[in-house]
Amino acid sequence: MTLLKRAAMAVGVGLLTSSVWAANVIETTTLVGFGTAKYPADFKHFDYVNPDAPKYGKVTYGQNGTFDNFNRYASRGQPAAATGNLYDTLMFSPSDEIDSFYPLIAEKVRYSDDYSWLEVDIKSKSAVQRWCAYHRERR
């Protein structure tokens, strides 16, 4: 590579990274498209949820059709209906707010003020801890 090409490449990389460095980083526990979040960072439950409701039990959903695979990411086969409900998502959008997301598996979110990038911290062992606690209580 000639010296001119190397210099041009260095200037190009410098210009690209300078926009990332110049952006302010926002760290929060909620993602809100407009306005402010309804619930604070340490809220215990949503307003529409009854925390004293009976826990556990069995729910059966009826679905038409058949399936031959519980893995919804499999390359072959027909996945079972509603298998997306088996997995937790990073963020959860409540029913009483529009365009607000609260962490479910995520712990906090960092993003630039120009929205060019986003970074998510995930709670450590969150799914395993809930699963173990559930089975300890069921014994």
Side-chain angles (χ1 to χ4, degrees):
M1 231 192 234
T2 66
L3 184 60
L4 183 60
K5 285 183 182 179
R6 286 184 186 171
M9 187 182 286
V11 169
V13 169
L15 289 174
L16 288 174
T17 57
S18 66
S19 65
V20 173
W21 289 335
N24 291 327
V25 177
I26 299 167
E27 186 170 317
T28 182
T29 56
T30 59
L31 287 177
V32 182
F34 54 89
T36 58
K38 179 179 179 180
Y39 301 101
D42 58 347
F43 74 100
K44 299 296 180 200
H45 61 86
F46 294 110
D47 290 344
Y48 59 88
V49 173
N50 180 5
D52 300 322
K55 308 228 180 343
Y56 309 111
K58 182 179 179 181
V59 176
T60 304
Y61 297 105
Q63 295 287 335
N64 291 333
T66 62
F67 67 93
D68 59 5
N69 200 334
F70 272 116
N71 184 355
R72 69 180 181 155
Y73 300 111
S75 59
R76 292 189 300 179
Q78 182 68 31
T83 53
N85 297 338
L86 297 174
Y87 307 102
D88 283 339
T89 58
L90 284 175
M91 306 289 277
F92 175 78
S93 181
S95 299
D96 61 346
E97 279 187 283
I98 298 173
D99 205 21
S100 293
F101 295 90
Y102 295 89
L104 189 58
I105 291 179
E107 188 170 24
K108 57 185 162 184
V109 178
R110 280 182 296 283
Y111 60 92
S112 66
D113 59 354
D114 63 354
Y115 305 107
S116 61
W117 58 271
L118 177 120
E119 187 176 281
V120 178
D121 288 349
I122 298 176
K123 294 177 186 172
S124 62
K125 302 179 186 175
S126 60
V128 174
Q129 288 172 351
R130 278 199 311 271
W131 183 83
C132 291
Y134 170 78
H135 285 286
R136 274 195 303 271
E137 290 175 10
R138 299 285 293 183
R139 290 184 190 167

